[in-house]
């Protein structure tokens, strides 16, 4: 998962570090040769790197050709610091931009990341041995700011179940076809069951022939009630039925599955708007594929514009080597990613954890 972006970020950081190390090392080697002093030497178990410039200065003052051993006792061991200039940064920024774009980070997010990195890096003095870690830390903080802290759905459902009204917690799922809405609903239904929360599924994708069958099958396997009508029926009416069923039977949660013809189709957005108006969901979740790349931005913007989404689930993270989609949707919607879908089985879903995501990127 997300290995490509991890690898690329690692290589980029390494390159920046090496660009600072190589010239310094060459200069040192030249000087060491000139004054005939080793770059490193061992005293007992410890290794020392003498400050060659200082040694040269001392010996030159004394007019000595060979460096007497006594000099070593007087020298300090300098801590070397480096700075990255704006010019140097520009060279690497271009490369960074390419690698982020290639790994599904949207252009506006890429630009923002590079701008922030630039502000943090240029002109700052880094201890040479810490520069790699410092660049990683800067990346980490930028990503921490981009991703919104997710909330806990289970807690929210539990809170409402304790409410006097005994109303069910309603979750509406939207997103285009094939992204994994129905599968994700089944996964969440199972997850709720494990937490002793009851739920009912609304088969409000009445558009495709197989979709009602698909959700009914999940319901049978999981032993969870599915409320459905015929193909072509009004999805808002199906949702309404499911909510009424939940109210009557004191069920904690209603999960509404919807159709997802292309997000550009105006009637799809109108339809989801109507379902949303009728069912008044507590939570509206956009389901998108982690693999999608830039297209997901348009998708999520359309649904957000139509109904105002509260959170995001990214599916198929298990087969996504890039990883940039999470950053793109996070930054553009300012909505939290709640879960990652990590496979086709019911238990292949994990709560989105910002720090875990950052670790997966090797930072
Ligand atoms: N590898 C992988 N496949 C998934 C995941 N989520 C869903 N799928 C698969 O994606 C396909 C479409 O899923 P479906 O739930 O029918 O999508 P929908 O049209 O949005 O309802 C199915 O073959 C699912 O098994 C996931 O997290 N990882
Ligand atoms: Mg479906």
């Amino acid at each position: 998962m997300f290995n490509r972006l991890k690898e690329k970020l690692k290589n980029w950081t390494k390159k920046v570090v090496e660009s600072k190390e190589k010239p310094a090392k060459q200069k040192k080697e030249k000087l060491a040769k000139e004054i005939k002093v080793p770059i490193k030497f061992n005293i007992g178990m410890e290794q020392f790197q003498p400050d060659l410039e200082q040694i040269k200065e001392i010996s030159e003052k004394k007019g000595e050709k060979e460096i007497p051993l006594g000099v070593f006792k007087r020298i300090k061991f300098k801590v070397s610091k480096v700075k990255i200039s704006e010019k140097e940064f520009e060279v690497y920024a271009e490369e960074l931009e390419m690698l982020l774009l290639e790994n599904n980070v949207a252009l506006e997010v890429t630009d923002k990341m590079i701008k922030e990195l630039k502000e943090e890096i240029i002109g700052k003095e880094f201890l040479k041995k810490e520069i790699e870690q410092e660049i990683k830390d800067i990346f980490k903080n930028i990503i921490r700011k981009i991703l919104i802290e997710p909330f806990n759905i289970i807690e929210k459902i539990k809170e409402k179940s304790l409410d006097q009204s005994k109303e069910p917690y309603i979750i509406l799922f939207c997103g285009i076809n094939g992204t994994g809405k129905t599968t994700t609903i089944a996964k969440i239904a199972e997850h709720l069951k494990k937490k002793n929360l009851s739920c009912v599924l609304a088969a409000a994708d009445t558009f495709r022939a197989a979709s009602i069958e698909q959700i009914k099958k999940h319901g049978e396997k999981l032993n969870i009630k599915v409320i459905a009508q015929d193909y072509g029926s009004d999805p808002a009416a199906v949702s309404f039925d499911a909510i009424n069923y939940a109210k009557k039977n004191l069920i904690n949660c209603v999960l509404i599955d919807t159709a997802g013809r292309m997000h550009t189709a105006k009637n799809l957005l109108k339809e989801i708007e109507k379902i949303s108006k009728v069912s008044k969901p507590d939570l509206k979740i956009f389901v998108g594929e982690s693999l999608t790349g830039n297209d997901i931005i348009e998708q999520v913007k359309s649904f957000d514009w139509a109904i105002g989404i509260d959170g995001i689930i990214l599916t198929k993270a298990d087969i996504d080597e890039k990883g940039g989609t999470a950053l793109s949707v996070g930054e553009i919607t300012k909505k939290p990613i709640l879960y990652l879908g990590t496979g086709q089985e019911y238990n292949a879903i994990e709560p989105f954890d910002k720090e875990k995501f950052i670790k997966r990127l090797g930072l």
Side-chain angles (χ1 to χ4, degrees):
M1 200 187 286
F2 312 151
N3 274 333
R4 254 189 63 178
L5 186 53
K6 175 182 169 183
E7 205 48 39
K8 295 275 177 175
L9 282 177
K10 191 173 142 197
N11 291 345
W12 184 85
T13 310
K14 226 172 163 182
K15 237 183 195 174
V16 176
V17 173
E18 274 173 7
S19 78
K20 285 277 124 189
E21 275 176 349
K22 250 192 200 154
K25 197 172 166 227
Q26 280 166 357
K27 193 173 149 202
K28 225 179 190 180
E29 277 167 358
K30 200 173 150 216
L31 188 58
K33 225 177 190 177
E34 194 185 308
I35 63 176
K36 298 192 190 77
V37 167
I39 286 185
K40 295 176 199 162
F41 61 93
N42 296 322
I43 298 177
M45 296 291 282
E46 278 188 87
Q47 192 185 66
F48 290 93
Q49 293 188 27
D51 182 343
L52 299 174
E53 277 168 33
Q54 202 191 359
I55 294 176
K56 191 179 173 202
E57 216 175 278
I58 293 171
S59 63
E60 271 172 1
K61 255 192 219 154
K62 292 180 116 193
E64 285 158 350
K65 281 201 183 94
E66 290 279 319
I67 310 290
L69 264 176
V71 165
F72 289 103
K73 287 183 192 145
R74 282 185 283 145
I75 57 162
K76 288 192 195 105
F77 292 91
K78 186 171 80 174
V79 190
S80 42
K81 287 182 180 171
V82 288
K83 268 188 193 176
I84 296 172
S85 71
E86 185 160 1
K87 219 168 148 192
E88 284 170 315
F89 183 82
E90 292 303 335
V91 176
Y92 291 102
E94 215 169 285
E95 207 173 306
L96 181 62
E97 183 178 19
M98 283 309 294
L99 85 85
L100 291 172
L101 290 174
E102 279 168 9
N103 285 286
N104 285 346
V105 183
L107 182 63
E108 48 197 295
V109 184
T110 296
D111 287 348
K112 186 185 156 128
M113 285 178 79
I114 291 178
K115 188 170 162 260
E116 282 189 21
L117 191 68
K118 187 174 167 180
E119 277 165 16
E120 289 291 325
I121 282 188
I122 290 178
K124 186 175 171 182
E125 271 196 340
F126 294 102
L127 288 180
K128 218 154 90 195
K129 60 177 189 216
E130 288 170 5
I131 181 167
E132 189 168 346
Q133 192 52 48
E134 291 228 24
I135 293 176
K136 279 184 174 180
D137 287 345
I138 293 171
F139 267 126
K140 252 193 240 179
N141 285 333
I142 291 174
I143 293 174
R144 272 193 196 117
K145 271 193 275 169
I146 286 179
L147 297 170
I148 310 292
E149 197 62 53
F151 50 83
N152 186 325
I153 296 185
I154 305 293
E155 293 303 320
K156 288 197 179 263
I157 300 171
K158 275 187 183 161
E159 266 169 38
K160 195 160 182 189
S161 74
L162 296 174
D163 204 308
Q164 288 302 314
S165 69
K166 298 274 185 262
E167 293 272 311
Y169 192 87
I170 299 160
I171 310 180
L172 175 65
F173 293 81
C174 66
I176 69 163
N177 273 347
T179 51
K181 284 182 301 300
T182 309
T183 311
T184 302
I185 287 171
K187 289 175 181 180
I188 290 189
E190 205 221 12
H191 187 51
L192 294 179
K193 210 173 150 185
K194 279 189 187 152
K195 301 275 175 192
N196 288 325
L197 290 164
S198 53
C199 70
V200 56
L201 313 184
D205 176 358
T206 60
F207 186 72
R208 279 187 304 172
S211 56
I212 298 179
E213 283 315 307
Q214 187 194 1
I215 197 165
K216 275 186 176 167
K217 258 192 203 141
H218 284 305
E220 273 166 29
K221 269 194 210 160
L222 295 167
N223 199 19
I224 288 172
K225 178 84 178 166
V226 177
I227 300 293
Q229 291 180 11
D230 292 334
Y231 293 118
S233 56
D234 179 6
V238 178
S239 313
F240 195 70
D241 280 358
I243 294 165
N244 277 340
Y245 179 89
K247 281 182 185 168
K248 248 187 234 154
N249 295 281
L250 296 180
I251 284 171
N252 300 126
C253 187
V254 182
L255 306 178
I256 306 175
D257 193 13
T258 61
R261 279 161 287 159
M262 280 313 291
H263 58 286
T264 42
K266 280 224 173 73
N267 48 356
L268 166 73
L269 293 178
K270 275 225 170 90
E271 185 176 283
I272 195 93
E273 244 185 288
K274 185 177 167 197
I275 302 172
S276 186
K277 265 187 197 143
V278 170
S279 58
K280 299 185 187 64
D282 296 276
L283 193 62
K284 288 165 268 183
I285 295 181
F286 168 79
V287 179
E289 278 180 15
S290 186
L291 304 159
T292 313
N294 263 331
D295 276 359
I296 203 168
I297 303 305
E298 287 313 310
Q299 292 173 19
V300 75
K301 275 185 182 168
S302 309
F303 283 104
D304 197 25
W305 173 82
I307 56 170
I309 61 160
D310 304 299
I312 296 158
I313 294 182
L314 285 184
T315 59
K316 310 188 190 183
D318 51 314
I319 43 176
D320 177 22
E321 281 306 305
K322 294 185 172 179
T325 304
L327 295 175
S328 303
V329 289
E331 170 64 24
I332 282 166
T333 61
K334 296 283 173 213
K335 300 285 157 61
I337 298 166
L338 304 171
Y339 287 98
L340 288 182
T342 56
Q344 309 209 30
E345 304 77 33
Y346 290 136
N347 63 2
I349 186 161
E350 59 175 59
F352 185 75
D353 179 330
K354 277 169 69 168
E355 294 307 313
K356 202 167 168 185
F357 177 78
I358 288 168
K359 272 211 183 100
R360 278 185 174 138
L361 294 183
L363 297 171

